[in-house]
Each structure stands twice: as C-alpha cells, then as structure tokens.
C-alpha cells in the first residue's frame, strides 16, 4: 500500500456554513475545492482537523473507533479558533455516510480507513486578522492506510528539547495546522543535527509531547503520562491505553514530570509515542544535551506491545468493546 495519507477514496463529504447556519452535507466525487484567494484560512490559519480510523471486520461491516469523542474534540478545536462549530449529528453523519459509501474500499486489519474531517474558514476578507471567519467549509476525506509497522517496529530516537514548546497554552489542545507548522522547523533541525526521528517538546523541563503524538512511560505495573491541560493534544489513543491499562492492573499515574525524572526513569521504564496513525511506537533512545541515552535496552518493550495488542484487539473485533468505543457502519 502507498505511503500513509497519500491514497484517497474517490468521494468525500462536504458541508458549508453560511448565513449563520450549516447547510446539508453531500457526498461528491473527490475534486479540488475552488476557493477565493482572500479566504480566511489562507491568511489567518482558521483551520482544524481530526484523524481517526474505521476497521473492516470479518462480517464485512465497518467499525469507527471513538467517533463521538473525535467529533467532540473537533468541536472543541473549532470553538477555540472561533470557527462555526459543526453540530455533532452533522459531523458524525458525514463520517458514517462516507464510511458506508466506501466500506468495500476498506482493507482488512491491521490496515484501515483513515478519516480526516477538516474545517476551514472561508470568509473572503483579508482585513479579518482579528475577526473570526463567519463562513466555513467542513469536509471529510477517507484514505485507506496500511499497517504502520509493515516493515517491523523500529524503536525511535527522540531529541529531548527542554526549552521550546510545540504549541502555545491557548492552542496546545487544539488540533490546528499552525501547531504542526510550529513543530516542523525544530523537528527538521533535530533530524539533521542529531539524526533523531522526532522532538519531545519539554518547555521549562515539563515533558509534554512530540510534533504529532503523546508520550507515555510504562513499567511492568505503572503508566506515567502528563495530566490533561491546555498545552498538549488530548489523544484518544492515550486515553484508551490508560483505560485499558488500568483495567489490566497497571497503576495509571497522570502527573507532570520533568526532563530530569525522565532521564532518570528510562533505565527502568519503557517509553512510547501514542497516536492514531501508529498506535504505540516504541522509543529506544533519547538525545539530551548532546548525549544519547538508551531507553532500557534500546529495544521495543513487552508492556507497550501488550497494551497495544489489548487496544488493537478491540479495534479489530478480537476482544469485547466494553467501553462502547466502536460505531458500526
Ligand atoms: C500533537 C498530537 N498529539 C497527540 C496525537 C495523538 O492523538 P490521537 O491518539 O487522538 O490520534 C496527535 C495525533 O493525532 C497529535 O497530532
């Protein structure tokens, strides 16, 4: 299968907001969106998006993972950007209709259909830097994606940056394009300078997250990760792993921790990145103050593998969905 995010189903769903109301959505053939060059999005970054997956089970039906939670996160993002907030029913209907339209295009697990709702401000006004976009377009893309680890899970190397933040306090928990733009420069710089895969942003020593994933420490009986605040994105994978972890006997410790504690802890704790695309990605080494520090033996750890399997078993229909996380289509 082609590279993650580069292949698309041939239809997408679209709805527009104008004159103070959302119009009905349509599924139409995938095509470029004609847009006025003065559209708010191009100038003032009025955009937010979501990313989650639908799986096709052996019964031929699709199951969307944590649909209502992703819709709620999108609504929160939209509100924080002062964009028109899509109704939950509108957005979840657009997603389920599109998944229904493309059930036959969903590859079997561990492959899936990645769904990308996107909301953009379309007000034609280049003088609206300090004014919200009162017009908007909402669309949902569907993209068949393969197993992220088809080539085998490789342990990642992270640069620990104890100065810079990935985002800001206002927008850290908003899934908006500008945050990814902000992380891009530091990440490319770190790749070039230290040969790392990602940057772990730890402003003032506070361990937060990487450019596009949450960060967790896992031992045989404990999971440690930053508690929810406005500085980082509230990942659904993080939340699911914490819930499944607690049920399988891990002590879940949502607390702030410092770079010093992290460096001290990685001889005992496994470290992982969590996110929809890759589920849990093992971290094998950290680079801090120019020095490379192994995470345990530098290899993917057994606890992360066990927790990842527990989550994927629910997603693939191999374990009961005790939390009602799946929406059948
Ligand atoms: C900045 C950031 N943090 C965390 C995550 C993980 O979130 P989720 O588990 O909901 O995919 C993502 C990916 O969506 C992300 O972009």
């Amino acid at each position: 299968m082609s590279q993650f995010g580069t292949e698309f189903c041939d239809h997408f769903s679209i709805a527009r907001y104008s004159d103070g109301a959302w119009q009905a959505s349509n599924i139409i053939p995938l095509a470029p969106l004609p847009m006025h060059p003065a559209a708010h999005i191009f100038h003032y970054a009025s955009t937010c998006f979501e990313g989650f997956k639908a799986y096709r089970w052996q019964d031929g039906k699709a199951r969307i993972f944590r649909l209502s939670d992703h819709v709620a996160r999108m609504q929160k993002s939209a509100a924080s950007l002062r964009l028109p907030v899509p109704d939950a029913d509108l957005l979840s209907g657009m997603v389920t209709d599109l998944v229904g339209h493309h059930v036959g295009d969903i590859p079997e697990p561990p492959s899936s259909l990645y769904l990308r709702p996107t909301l953009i401000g379309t007000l034609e006004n280049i003088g609206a830097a300090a004014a919200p976009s009162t017009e908007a377009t909402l669309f949902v893309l569907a993209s068949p994606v393969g197993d992220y680890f088809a080539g085998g899970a490789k342990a990642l190397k992270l640069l620990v940056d104890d100065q810079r933040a990935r985002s800001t306090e206002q927008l850290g928990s908003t899934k908006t394009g500008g945050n990814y733009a902000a992380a891009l420069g530091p990440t490319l710089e770190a790749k070039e300078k230290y040969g790392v895969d990602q940057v772990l942003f730890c402003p003032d020593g506070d361990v937060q997250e990487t450019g596009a994933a949450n960060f967790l420490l896992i031992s045989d009986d404990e999971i440690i990760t930053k508690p929810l605040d406005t500085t980082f994105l509230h990942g659904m994978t993080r939340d699911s792993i914490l819930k499944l972890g607690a049920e399988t006997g891990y002590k879940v410790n949502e607390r702030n921790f410092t770079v010093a504690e992290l460096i001290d802890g990685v001889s005992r704790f496994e470290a992982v990145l969590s996110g929809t695309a890759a589920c849990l990605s093992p971290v094998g080494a950290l680079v801090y103050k120019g020095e490379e520090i192994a995470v345990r033996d530098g290899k993917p750890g057994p606890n992360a593998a066990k927790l990842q399997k527990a989550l994927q078993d629910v997603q693939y229909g191999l374990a009961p969905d005790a939390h009602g996380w799946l929406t059948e289509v």
Side-chain angles (χ1 to χ4, degrees):
M1 191 163 289
S2 39
Q3 200 194 348
F4 185 95
T6 59
E7 187 184 325
F8 302 98
C9 291
D10 61 6
H11 282 72
F12 76 133
S13 180
I14 187 161
R16 293 184 201 277
Y17 182 92
S18 61
D19 301 325
W22 283 101
Q23 314 300 318
S25 65
N26 286 300
I27 292 180
I28 57 173
L30 184 64
L33 289 175
M35 212 151 356
H36 196 287
H40 200 273
I41 163 74
F42 295 137
H43 306 274
Y44 305 120
S46 47
T47 169
C48 59
F49 65 97
E50 267 306 317
F52 50 94
K53 288 176 173 174
Y55 303 88
R56 185 152 68 114
W57 289 6
Q58 292 208 320
D59 62 6
K61 291 183 193 157
R63 308 292 188 294
I64 307 169
F65 186 63
R66 301 202 67 164
L67 173 61
S68 60
D69 297 305
H70 283 281
V71 166
R73 192 170 73 180
M74 181 94 169
Q75 291 180 308
K76 209 175 100 186
S77 290
S80 83
L81 296 162
R82 306 301 189 270
L83 274 162
V85 177
D87 304 326
D89 288 350
L90 170 73
L91 179 51
S92 37
M94 286 170 74
V95 172
T96 48
D97 288 352
L98 189 66
V99 170
H101 191 92
H102 286 294
V103 171
D105 297 326
I106 308 180
E108 279 178 15
S111 297
S112 61
L113 189 67
Y114 182 79
L115 296 154
R116 171 57 66 87
T118 308
L119 175 65
I120 56 175
T122 51
L123 181 72
E124 296 163 13
N125 182 353
I126 54 170
S133 181
T134 49
E135 301 202 344
T137 296
L138 173 65
F139 60 85
V140 182
L141 289 172
S143 169
V145 293
D147 179 6
Y148 207 87
F149 294 117
K154 168 184 154 274
L156 302 174
K157 194 194 285 191
L158 308 184
L159 176 72
V160 177
D161 185 333
D162 61 5
Q163 309 280 319
R164 287 184 289 198
R166 163 187 175 263
S167 178
T168 60
E169 209 160 327
Q170 306 89 287
L171 290 181
S173 59
T174 295
K175 202 162 166 63
T176 186
N179 286 339
Y180 299 84
L184 183 60
T187 306
L188 293 184
E189 212 177 278
K191 280 184 184 187
E192 196 177 321
K193 200 161 167 194
Y194 299 103
V196 295
D197 300 290
Q198 293 293 334
V199 175
L200 181 60
F201 291 96
C202 313
D204 298 322
D206 174 38
V207 179
Q208 294 187 342
E209 63 176 336
T210 63
N214 296 128
F215 182 79
L216 290 79
L217 290 172
I218 309 174
S219 71
D220 289 345
D221 57 7
E222 186 180 13
I223 306 175
I224 304 177
T225 194
K226 187 172 172 58
L228 299 182
D229 65 20
T230 60
T231 62
F232 74 102
L233 191 77
H234 303 173
M236 241 44 93
T237 315
R238 168 195 179 282
D239 183 73
S240 308
I241 290 290
L242 295 187
K243 293 202 164 98
L244 294 174
E247 286 161 15
T248 45
Y250 290 86
K251 180 176 173 227
V252 172
N253 204 344
E254 289 182 80
R255 66 168 176 91
N256 288 309
F257 57 101
T258 63
V259 168
E261 285 177 273
L262 168 68
I263 301 298
D264 181 54
V266 290
S267 56
R268 290 169 287 122
F269 281 83
E270 296 171 36
V272 294
L273 300 186
S274 79
T276 293
C279 199
L280 296 184
S281 302
V283 176
L286 304 176
V287 176
Y288 184 54
K289 293 194 188 297
E291 208 179 302
E292 187 164 326
I293 301 142
V295 177
R296 290 170 17 121
D297 59 0
K299 300 203 180 85
N303 288 288
K306 188 169 99 180
L307 287 161
Q308 162 149 303
K309 181 169 187 312
L311 177 52
Q312 290 181 333
D313 280 354
V314 175
Q315 293 170 330
Y316 303 168
L318 305 173
D321 174 24
H323 298 270
W325 285 337
L326 299 165
T327 301
E328 183 183 303
V329 180

